[in-house]
Amino acid sequence: MNNELQHIYELGEGLETLDRIKARIDGLNLRYFIETYGCQMNEHDSEKIAGMLVRAGYTKAETKQDADLILFNTCCVREHAEKRTFGNVGFIKELKQINPRLILGVCGCMMQQREVANRLFARFPFVDLIFGTHELKNFPAMLENCLDKKRVFNVSDSDGEVIEGLPVERNAGFSTFVNIMYGCNNFCTYCIVPYVRGRERSRKPEDILNEVRSVVAGGYSEVTLLGQNVNSYSCDGMDFPRLLTLISNEVPELKRLRFMTSHPKDLSPELIMAMAQLDNVCKHIHLPVQSGSDSILKKMNRRYTTADYLKIVDELRQNVPFVEITTDIIVGFPGETEEDFQATLDLVKKVGYSNAYTFAYSPREGTVAARMEDQIPDEEKKRRLNKLNAVLAETIPENNEKYIGYSGEILVEGVDHRGEPLLFGKLSNFKMVYVEGDESLVGSFVDIKVDGFRFNSLFGHIAN
Ligand code: 5AD
Ligand code: SF4
């Protein structure tokens, strides 16, 4: 991809608009509440919207009831999200009657689907603001219009661009996100993402580096680089393994560097070597396999075979000690036979995942697979999903035995109060470990030794 050809948008004027809003609402004590559905990309978009709202003088509300602006950031990857969103939006009508200055907005991937956005706009006249994923840069102007009591509908058919200069209100904690690229060119036949997130476009390495430096200076010790397919990052002659190397070398104070999501078809030996050689690059990879059947993978347009996938898994395991692999799997894709499904179960047993997100195939309007013959009945999809989850429930703990006596380092994330209070935190490879210890350790890195395991987590003690 040629970055010179892509549009980079700097949020200059938008910041002035936000400052103008701040002067206008001064003293009103306006509060915002954002409810986010879907993936980390959406979570992070919400942090950017929150950043703009804070710049405009809003503060965060603890509940919807306390808010003067409620925004639903939606997802459309699977079907049930739609029903839930329409239900949630309907519920806000009452709150608008109690608080007449309340602004209600709906944004995100689902609103990038024009027909769905139109339907929502027509059905709920009390919705003030609707905008799609490509409109983040116009949020300041849209907010100003809403404050002028105008109804705003903003969904455009753009391929998207790279937006720089957005303020970000990051969730508190020790770990945060940095986007490295946006969009997707892969058009897996089941997936709506390329239609609602636009074409692949990568941020410039120096912009990424500056953001990583600034979050580390702000106290974060772990950064997750985000992209729909990080392995196809490409900008100014730099590919993804080189970008990892650059960040790892240029920001040595960064303790942990994570990334997601990786596509098996683009996973290079150079990336495996970068994971093996760079100390602060985490030893975990989220590598969605989607199916264990070659004919289904072909129909999904995934462009790898199970043999290719297993070869990558082997190379990872050979080169990166204690590497852990997580995945996404879809069951009940159109035409999936019992044999295809069994092949998925076999693959799961072979790989030894440390965790897996499993889904029943959900037809998405406009995608190729939604028009395929041999759609699988819901009951059967459910049966396969349950069976797959049962197999995972057996294989995941098997993978834990090798950890008995293992020494490593966790980043303590918090205290679990469900029983005897225990600190919990993850190893570099994303395995969760529970240990006894003082609450003051939350946020720090602690050496531990593993004594046992539960289902997909480990328990141990602090090593001195
Ligand atoms: N039906 C079911 N699961 C889907 N995913 C994406 N699209 C669909 C769909 N139409 C799953 C894939 C992807 C994850 C984010 O969501 O497994 O990796
Ligand atoms: Fe969807 Fe495939 Fe792109 Fe992932 S790689 S976002 S599954 S089209």
Side-chain angles (χ1 to χ4, degrees):
M1 191 176 45
N2 185 345
N3 203 61
E4 271 65 51
L5 293 178
Q6 88 191 15
H7 187 188
I8 297 188
Y9 186 97
E10 283 283 345
L11 194 78
E13 214 173 290
L15 294 177
E16 287 168 25
T17 309
L18 295 173
D19 292 341
R20 199 162 55 235
I21 296 173
K22 186 175 173 137
R24 171 176 173 179
I25 67 171
D26 187 36
L28 293 178
N29 188 25
L30 295 185
R31 282 174 288 186
Y32 70 90
F33 187 94
I34 305 179
E35 191 153 291
T36 310
Y37 297 90
C39 65
Q40 281 88 351
M41 197 65 75
N42 259 16
E43 288 286 342
H44 192 39
D45 279 353
S46 291
E47 291 182 332
K48 292 175 189 171
I49 296 168
M52 290 190 267
L53 285 165
V54 167
R55 174 89 181 232
Y58 279 77
T59 53
K60 189 173 170 186
E62 288 311 314
T63 65
K64 285 187 201 131
Q65 280 73 11
D66 295 332
D68 303 287
L69 185 146
I70 298 174
L71 190 63
F72 290 104
N73 189 0
T74 61
C75 168
C76 58
V77 166
R78 285 170 301 274
E79 198 174 12
H80 57 81
E82 224 160 273
K83 290 175 193 141
R84 198 160 48 151
T85 301
F86 275 60
N88 287 341
V89 168
F91 169 76
I92 305 300
K93 188 173 182 183
E94 262 175 49
L95 293 183
K96 287 205 73 162
Q97 280 155 359
I98 300 167
N99 176 6
R101 71 180 183 187
L102 173 61
I103 293 171
L104 171 60
V106 189
C107 65
C109 293
M110 195 192 292
M111 293 302 102
Q112 191 57 45
Q113 299 174 282
R114 190 176 285 280
E115 330 72 66
V116 185
N118 279 334
R119 226 181 318 131
L120 191 104
F121 195 72
R123 177 147 153 212
F124 301 109
F126 55 90
V127 172
D128 305 287
L129 167 65
I130 287 182
F131 61 98
T133 49
H134 303 314
E135 303 303 329
L136 221 55
K137 62 179 186 297
N138 296 320
F139 182 74
M142 293 189 276
L143 179 61
E144 200 167 44
N145 279 327
C146 286
L147 289 166
D148 288 337
K149 305 245 177 289
K150 290 180 192 145
R151 230 182 148 204
V152 176
F153 183 94
N154 203 347
V155 181
S156 71
D157 297 326
S158 143
D159 279 347
E161 64 244 292
V162 171
I163 310 170
E164 296 295 348
L166 285 173
V168 185
E169 183 70 10
R170 294 174 185 278
N171 292 336
F174 322 102
S175 183
T176 193
F177 302 121
V178 170
N179 278 120
I180 62 165
M181 59 180 307
Y182 304 92
C184 183
N185 290 349
N186 290 320
F187 290 93
C188 300
T189 53
Y190 51 81
C191 186
I192 194 84
V193 168
Y195 302 89
V196 294
R197 286 279 179 182
R199 298 288 66 73
E200 269 178 15
R201 50 219 188 265
S202 298
R203 287 179 78 193
K204 286 187 171 292
E206 61 266 31
D207 289 331
I208 298 169
L209 208 48
N210 284 339
E211 188 172 341
V212 173
R213 283 199 184 104
S214 100
V215 299
V216 171
Y220 289 94
S221 26
E222 183 175 281
V223 165
T224 303
L225 304 177
L226 283 185
Q228 241 78 43
N229 175 10
V230 288
N231 316 133
S232 63
Y233 173 87
S234 168
C235 185
D236 295 347
M238 182 158 299
D239 62 8
F240 184 59
R242 288 207 205 109
L243 179 72
L244 273 185
T245 310
L246 178 80
I247 299 172
S248 173
N249 291 339
E250 292 289 317
V251 198
E253 318 84 87
L254 174 64
K255 287 276 288 184
R256 284 184 176 178
L257 184 53
R258 300 190 181 281
F259 55 90
M260 74 185 305
T261 289
S262 300
H263 194 306
K265 82 175 165 57
D266 297 315
L267 199 139
S268 62
E270 288 77 17
L271 176 59
I272 297 176
M273 289 333 284
M275 285 181 74
Q277 287 164 1
L278 301 169
D279 281 345
N280 51 1
V281 170
C282 290
K283 312 308 172 197
H284 166 236
I285 189 155
H286 185 63
L287 196 61
V289 67
Q290 311 296 5
S291 169
S293 149
D294 286 338
S295 74
I296 295 295
L297 287 174
K298 196 151 193 219
K299 284 190 182 169
M300 287 176 161
N301 190 30
R302 291 291 289 175
R303 287 176 274 171
Y304 54 84
T305 62
T306 48
D308 299 333
Y309 188 92
L310 291 170
K311 187 159 173 270
I312 295 169
V313 169
D314 263 358
E315 279 165 18
L316 278 162
R317 294 211 190 281
Q318 271 172 30
N319 290 288
V320 188
F322 282 92
V323 68
E324 287 293 356
I325 304 167
T326 53
T327 201
D328 295 343
I329 301 172
I330 299 175
V331 298
F333 185 82
E336 185 187 71
T337 62
E338 185 60 29
E339 213 181 346
D340 294 321
F341 173 60
Q342 288 297 331
T344 297
L345 299 182
D346 289 344
L347 180 124
V348 160
K349 289 178 197 156
K350 268 187 214 147
V351 175
Y353 290 111
S354 66
N355 218 340
Y357 299 91
T358 56
F359 309 101
Y361 168 70
S362 162
R364 308 284 65 214
E365 208 181 314
T367 61
V368 173
R371 298 189 293 273
M372 286 180 183
E373 286 176 3
D374 299 328
Q375 298 282 332
I376 308 290
D378 283 351
E379 285 295 290
E380 180 57 18
K381 284 190 228 175
K382 213 179 276 170
R383 186 193 67 81
R384 291 183 193 178
L385 190 60
N386 288 340
K387 176 72 189 160
L388 173 61
N389 288 338
V391 169
L392 281 161
E394 275 172 32
T395 57
I396 289 172
E398 278 167 20
N399 195 29
N400 287 336
E401 271 169 41
K402 63 176 182 285
Y403 283 96
I404 304 291
Y406 174 88
S407 297
E409 188 184 46
I410 60 168
L411 167 55
V412 182
E413 290 170 25
V415 186
D416 186 326
H417 288 285
R418 281 174 297 182
E420 189 74 10
L422 288 175
L423 300 178
F424 62 91
K426 292 191 195 84
L427 295 169
S428 154
N429 66 11
F430 217 66
K431 282 301 268 190
M432 186 67 96
V433 186
Y434 291 81
V435 292
E436 277 179 23
D438 196 85
E439 198 165 344
S440 61
L441 291 171
V442 172
S444 54
F445 287 87
V446 170
D447 289 327
I448 57 93
K449 194 160 182 188
V450 175
D451 304 313
F453 57 87
R454 294 173 185 153
F455 172 57
N456 58 5
S457 56
L458 308 170
F459 63 92
H461 61 271
I462 295 179
N464 295 311

